[in-house]
Amino acid sequence: GVMVPCDRIVEEARTTGADVVGLSGLITPSLDEMAHVARELERAGLEAPLLIGGATTSRQHTAVKIAPHYRNPTVHVLDASRAVGVVSSLLAPEQRAAFDEANRREQDDLRELYRQRQSRPLLPYEQARRRRVEIDWAASDLPKPAFVGRRVLDDVPLADLVPYVDWTFLFHAWELRGRHPEILNHPEMGKAARELFANAQELLREIVDGRLLRARGVYGFWPAAGDGDDVVLWTDASRGHELARFHMLRQQETKHDEQKVYRSLADYVAPEDSGREDWVGAFAVTAGLGLDELVARFERDHDDYRAIMAKALADRLAEAFAERLHEQARRDWGYGLAETFAPEELLEERFRGIRPAFGYPACPDHSEKDTLFRILDAPSLGITLTESWAMLPAASVSGIYLGNAAARYFAVGRLNVDQVEAWARRKGVSVKQAERLLAPNLAYDPD
């Protein structure tokens, strides 16, 4: 991934005589780095098979962007539990050739599917901008938040977050696919799910009662306006000094219905020329303070199961914190004062407004987190960014709040060079740097 320098990976593989090299990518900047590592492994003349895994990876990306750079077997594995069978096949002399041949055939098929998708037309950027989401700003309800600026939530009781936990994703972490609570009674997976859930509840009680993790957060609101495909934030209600600017992206993949719109998150913020005042919120939360020490304690006791469980619970608590804080933000914004949703209804997102996170489909560029963390001063709470914009502690969530009633989630999808060049100019970076930042979304080969 991006947390270990490429030259160290290559050197360790060479000096240890590694049988297999594994790369894991949790955020999208990892994807481009993995292709770089594959090229360097090839240049170094190594023979070890390469395994690709992690949350942002896929079979198609591995086939299209990584495997062509390395002559030896390059295999995508969904998660660590699947790696055992793959490694067994790769290291067994009687199985390796057949396994490698089947993997290469599948990757050829995936590359052909990718080529077909890439051939689908994209709308020119200027045309996509003209077909933006149209909102009647004169008739829009644009309530003013109760405060402007940031507020810190220090040492939030973990017990307050537990009712907001979405347990479904805990089971996904153990490859138990199904929704909670239905999965607990599943005819095949129910027994394992109930055992896992019981273990999770036991450790959660221990964490909550012993205050073994700490949760901190920050959120705020600022006067804002849409400026083309940018969202501008001002320091105060006078709107005289620009505080920050988020550079959004717009859909370009051709839609057959002529009435279809091509969305950008900037569409959901009133433009200056609308004559209306609007606001945007932002947040960053963590439930991972103290997690490293807790995991180290379990690992010293050779209790890997509870070490992994602690990480999974910290992730769930961080997401729960984000859900609970969004509820508070909607109330502070005014439009959520009448909400009466139960926590399980909140998970179904029946409320008004969205909280998109940078690096996700509607705003896939991670580097915008630099601006987000600056206006929130998130590092003062112990929430920091790596050079590749991964959040530390890992059990952290951040993003912006858009309160417009029309706001919805979507995927930006593929981008053509005309939008990438325009985005680079707005952002003040080179086109080459923009292409690296947006690599997973490019509809063309920069080379």
Side-chain angles (χ1 to χ4, degrees):
V2 293
M3 304 296 284
V4 178
C6 175
D7 56 355
R8 182 179 171 194
I9 294 172
V10 174
E11 185 60 23
E12 290 284 347
R14 179 192 291 113
T15 57
T16 62
D19 295 307
V20 177
V21 174
L23 303 178
S24 175
L26 297 180
I27 59 175
T28 49
S30 305
L31 300 179
D32 194 45
E33 180 69 11
M34 288 175 167
H36 173 60
V37 174
R39 286 191 291 267
E40 291 304 298
L41 291 172
E42 177 71 19
R43 195 165 69 88
L46 295 180
E47 301 287 337
L50 179 61
L51 303 189
I52 303 294
T56 59
T57 63
S58 68
R59 290 159 57 240
Q60 185 178 77
H61 182 271
T62 301
V64 173
K65 299 292 187 179
I66 302 176
H69 298 298
Y70 191 50
R71 70 185 184 281
N72 293 295
T74 303
V75 186
H76 180 258
V77 287
L78 193 61
D79 60 36
S81 68
R82 303 290 180 88
V84 178
V86 171
V87 171
S88 296
S89 298
L90 288 170
L91 297 188
E94 68 279 8
Q95 297 180 40
R96 175 166 173 158
F99 180 89
D100 184 28
E101 182 182 354
N103 181 61
R104 291 179 189 271
R105 278 200 308 269
E106 180 188 60
Q107 291 182 342
D108 285 339
D109 292 341
L110 289 170
R111 283 189 283 269
E112 179 58 30
L113 287 173
Y114 177 78
R115 281 191 289 270
Q116 292 175 12
R117 181 169 180 254
Q118 292 297 91
S119 67
R120 296 177 195 167
L122 299 182
L123 200 67
Y125 179 47
E126 286 306 314
Q127 291 185 37
R129 289 186 64 191
R130 289 196 292 270
R131 292 172 62 177
R132 64 190 293 123
V133 178
E134 293 292 344
I135 295 175
D136 183 355
W137 294 109
S140 293
D141 174 33
L142 303 179
K144 182 179 180 180
F147 67 94
V148 172
R150 62 191 283 277
R151 284 185 177 175
V152 172
L153 302 173
D154 196 12
D155 207 12
V156 175
L158 296 180
D160 292 352
L161 307 181
V162 173
Y164 295 84
V165 171
D166 184 350
W167 290 109
T168 294
F169 293 96
L170 175 77
F171 298 102
H172 288 186
W174 265 266
E175 282 296 297
L176 296 172
R177 299 294 175 182
R179 291 186 60 83
H180 177 267
E182 292 82 2
I183 192 173
L184 299 177
N185 296 311
H186 190 278
E188 297 174 4
M189 296 181 288
K191 182 179 179 182
R194 289 191 296 273
E195 181 180 353
L196 177 68
F197 191 59
N199 292 338
Q201 296 304 305
E202 179 184 358
L203 181 55
L204 180 62
R205 285 192 295 271
E206 193 176 314
I207 289 172
V208 172
D209 293 345
R211 295 172 59 84
L212 302 180
L213 297 177
R214 299 185 310 282
R216 304 185 77 188
V218 57
Y219 74 118
F221 303 98
W222 289 269
D227 180 13
D229 285 349
D230 288 349
V231 175
V232 181
L233 276 60
W234 285 281
T235 55
D236 54 46
S238 70
R239 298 176 180 250
H241 179 69
E242 184 175 311
L243 171 69
R245 181 177 289 258
F246 293 118
H247 307 91
M248 302 304 185
L249 294 155
R250 183 170 298 279
Q251 294 174 319
Q252 284 189 273
E253 294 205 37
T254 302
K255 303 177 182 182
H256 297 299
D257 185 346
E258 290 299 319
Q259 303 303 313
K260 290 287 187 181
V261 298
Y262 291 75
R263 300 177 187 276
S264 167
L265 289 177
D267 294 346
Y268 303 124
V269 185
E272 279 192 271
D273 60 11
S274 68
R276 299 295 307 278
E277 292 188 341
D278 207 348
W279 288 264
V280 163
F283 74 97
V285 299
T286 186
L289 298 170
L291 179 62
D292 288 346
E293 295 84 350
L294 181 60
V295 168
R297 191 184 89 191
F298 288 140
E299 290 177 343
R300 282 196 302 272
D301 295 337
H302 306 289
D303 193 344
D304 290 341
Y305 178 69
R306 279 162 68 87
I308 295 171
M309 181 67 79
K311 295 177 184 178
L313 288 174
D315 288 341
R316 292 298 90 224
L317 288 168
E319 291 287 351
F321 193 174
E323 195 68 73
R324 178 179 179 272
L325 185 56
H326 193 191
E327 181 182 54
Q328 179 62 50
R330 294 193 299 274
R331 291 173 179 162
D332 289 336
W333 212 329
Y335 64 80
L337 289 172
E339 284 185 6
T340 57
F341 297 120
E344 58 271 16
E345 292 176 311
L346 291 176
L347 299 179
E348 297 172 3
E349 297 179 348
R350 299 184 186 181
F351 45 79
R352 168 178 162 173
I354 58 176
R355 53 175 178 92
F358 292 113
Y360 280 74
C363 42
D365 171 37
H366 282 269
S367 71
E368 293 289 305
K369 290 178 192 168
D370 284 335
T371 301
L372 178 71
F373 273 48
R374 173 176 62 81
I375 65 173
L376 291 170
D377 193 17
S380 68
L381 279 75
I383 312 173
T384 60
L385 296 173
T386 68
E387 289 184 356
S388 53
W389 304 286
M391 290 181 287
L392 297 176
S396 301
V397 183
S398 66
I400 60 174
Y401 296 134
L402 299 177
N404 193 276
R408 52 168 283 189
Y409 295 105
F410 60 91
V412 165
R414 294 184 303 142
L415 306 171
N416 216 339
V417 65
D418 54 354
Q419 179 166 189
V420 174
E421 289 175 346
W423 185 79
R425 288 193 297 271
R426 286 165 28 220
K427 195 174 172 69
V429 299
S430 68
V431 173
K432 183 176 182 181
Q433 186 177 355
E435 288 171 338
R436 183 174 176 86
L437 292 170
L438 302 175
N441 292 82
L442 297 184
Y444 62 96
D445 185 349
D447 297 327

